[in-house]
Amino acid sequence: MTSTPSDTVERAFKAALYAETDTALDTGASLLAADPAADDELARRGREFVATAWRRGWQPADVVRIVRRELDDVHVRLASALIRAQTPYDGPRGPRWTAQLAELTAEAAETAEATGTPPRTDRFSHATTVLELYRLLLRLPALEPLDEPTRRPDPARAAGPASESRMLTRIRALLAKAEATGFPDEAEALSAKAQELMARHSIDEALLAARAPSPDTPGACRIGVEAPYEQAKAVLLDAVATANHCRAVWNEPLGFSTVVGFEADLEAVELLYTSLLVQATTAMTKAETAQRAGGRKRTKTFRQSFLAAYAHRIGTRLAAAAETQVTDDLLPVLASREVAVTAHTDHMFPETTTTRLRGVTDEAGWTEGAQAADRAHVVGRSALQ
């Protein structure tokens, strides 16, 4: 009986996807490498794995993040290509999903421009890469589905989306420059300007909500919380989320936090967390340099304690700012939004647990981190008239 491309793929999957051994992987890759006619079917099955991930609650950025965390750059490029190939078969998605796809496309173009045509690999190596990726995609657990915030038509916001887009583009550009520059004073000035724009963005949204009942509903987004020192980073993100009327739930095994809130607040959380993390890393590097100049070696406990203290102190500062910079007329609006956010969070995550920071034992790291947090630029919501 003649073997079809589908038969080849099935045999390769049976051999390689449900076992962890290198021998099983080699067997599957050998089957695929020996049958070029199976390439199209192999790619189609890859798109099916991606579509299944969507049904399990994953989004494009989530898949790329987990692939980057578990595998190598070649797998990341393959996953990105599969996601983009699956796009024509997907139904309509929200703006956050669309933005993730646009970012993947831009990254692919930048990589191609920077590196040129990737070197050709032999069929066996390519098949091995494909099977390694598919094995990961096959085993992705189900996640809480993210419903993007909805906004009914509102005449008061007729000019909103375009102006918001321009504002957020400017903010992101400033933060990117702050991250790229090697001059601390320039980074500080760029970060301060970005945060000034963030504050203006949040204030405008709050004013609109104060003047008329907001038609928005809460949504959620996932933000990567990457190793090392992910516990301290999760605490920092939680502090930023709380200050911006959001809730953050950390998924330690998968390396992200889900932030629940209204769209303008979610944008503020993403941008402020990024900015503060950049500032923390820069300050930590400078503090370590000073420590080494004094004869101390670089240590993991110093960095862990530094970031933990930084997150704790930033949380205190943001909480204090939230208490003093909101006028009485906004309190009912913020209270109703908080109720909606809490209800949405409880619906998505009916069971949560708390965790304690580990490895915070270095006194010098804690002191330096707290002092760096006091120097950090944070976004406060200015008093609204």
Side-chain angles (χ1 to χ4, degrees), residues 87-329:
T87 300
Y89 303 95
D90 291 332
R93 306 286 185 173
R96 192 176 293 279
W97 185 293
T98 302
Q100 292 176 21
L101 290 176
E103 185 172 348
L104 288 183
T105 301
E107 287 179 356
E110 290 173 3
T111 300
E113 183 177 353
T115 63
T117 303
R120 293 181 61 86
T121 59
D122 61 272
R123 289 187 56 80
F124 178 82
S125 297
H126 176 71
T128 300
T129 298
V130 171
L131 290 173
E132 288 171 335
L133 174 62
Y134 288 7
R135 188 157 62 183
L136 175 62
L137 295 178
L138 176 67
R139 298 175 184 181
L140 292 179
L143 298 179
E144 300 79 13
L146 300 185
D147 296 324
E148 295 203 25
T150 57
R151 173 176 290 176
R152 296 192 300 271
D154 184 353
R157 299 173 181 260
S163 60
E164 288 176 9
S165 177
R166 288 194 297 271
M167 176 75 79
L168 295 174
T169 297
R170 291 178 62 195
I171 292 170
R172 289 192 177 93
L174 287 168
L175 289 175
K177 290 181 180 179
E179 293 181 44
T181 182
F183 301 97
D185 289 344
E186 182 183 10
E188 183 174 319
L190 291 166
S191 181
K193 180 60 178 177
Q195 291 161 13
E196 176 185 328
L197 294 178
M198 278 190 279
R200 184 73 263 161
H201 181 57
S202 295
I203 288 169
D204 290 344
E205 285 288 330
L207 280 172
L208 283 172
R211 290 168 183 164
S214 173
D216 297 358
T217 59
C221 67
R222 297 188 185 103
I223 298 177
V225 181
E226 306 291 350
Y229 320 117
E230 56 269 33
Q231 276 196 323
K233 293 174 183 177
V235 172
L236 176 62
L237 177 53
D238 181 75
V240 173
T242 300
N244 285 278
H245 316 295
C246 296
R247 296 277 299 278
V249 179
W250 182 35
N251 186 321
E252 182 175 7
L254 295 180
F256 62 77
S257 284
T258 302
V259 182
V260 183
F262 289 87
E263 182 60 27
D265 296 327
L266 293 176
E267 293 279 5
V269 169
E270 288 185 284
L271 293 169
L272 180 54
Y273 172 69
T274 300
S275 177
L276 289 174
L277 197 56
V278 170
Q279 293 182 57
T281 303
T282 301
M284 183 174 66
T285 301
K286 292 175 64 177
E288 279 191 315
T289 301
Q291 289 282 319
R292 288 197 298 273
R296 174 174 174 165
K297 295 182 178 180
R298 182 182 183 188
T299 67
K300 179 179 179 179
T301 55
F302 176 88
R303 297 189 293 274
Q304 174 78 355
S305 299
F306 182 102
L307 289 176
Y310 185 93
H312 176 76
R313 181 59 182 157
I314 284 291
T316 301
R317 290 185 60 191
L318 291 175
E323 290 179 359
T324 60
Q325 296 185 347
V326 176
T327 55
D328 290 343
D329 59 322

Side-chain angles (χ1 to χ4, degrees), residues 4-22:
T4 67
S6 181
D7 293 333
T8 300
V9 172
E10 285 295 339
R11 289 163 54 207
F13 282 5
K14 184 177 180 179
L17 296 192
Y18 305 98
E20 293 286 350
T21 66
D22 290 340

